[in-house]
Amino acid sequence: MIALIAEKPSVAKDIALIIGATQRNDGYLSGNGYMVTWAFGHLIQLAMPEAYGMANFRRESLPILPPDFQLIPRQVKAEKGYKADPGVLK
């Protein structure tokens, strides 16, 4: 079986269609001797200013140069603010 990794889900679906990998599985498509899975463009990002103790962020506070930058999973908009993207966590 040959495994292919695409940049994002939409590209993986296009590749799978071309090579005949039509069976949907959890996190990949398979068939015709192939497995096609995908990544997410950016899995992690820098933490927001609040993570560095800057509750009332202002443009005048730039640049933010903490001693250590914090990396967090990619965030998506939620009802109240942002939360980690469930697909990236999986």
Side-chain angles (χ1 to χ4, degrees):
M1 184 156 294
I2 298 172
L4 301 170
I5 302 172
E7 177 189 9
K8 54 187 178 179
S10 63
V11 174
K13 288 176 187 172
D14 290 343
I15 291 170
L17 181 65
I18 291 167
I19 61 175
T22 57
Q23 183 178 355
R24 293 181 182 267
N25 302 287
D26 189 22
Y28 67 99
L29 302 163
S30 64
N32 202 27
Y34 292 93
M35 291 174 31
V36 183
T37 189
W38 51 87
F40 290 88
H42 298 273
L43 297 176
I44 59 172
Q45 68 182 46
L46 291 173
M48 300 304 284
E50 294 81 18
Y52 302 105
M54 301 186 79
N56 297 319
F57 174 72
R58 294 175 159 204
R59 184 183 296 174
E60 296 80 31
S61 301
L62 294 175
I64 299 171
L65 298 172
D68 293 308
F69 284 97
Q70 298 176 32
L71 298 175
I72 58 174
R74 182 175 70 184
Q75 305 288 293
V76 293
K77 264 193 172 174
E79 241 177 75
K80 297 180 180 180
Y82 289 87
K83 67 174 189 171
D85 182 334
V88 168
L89 292 177
K90 184 177 179 183

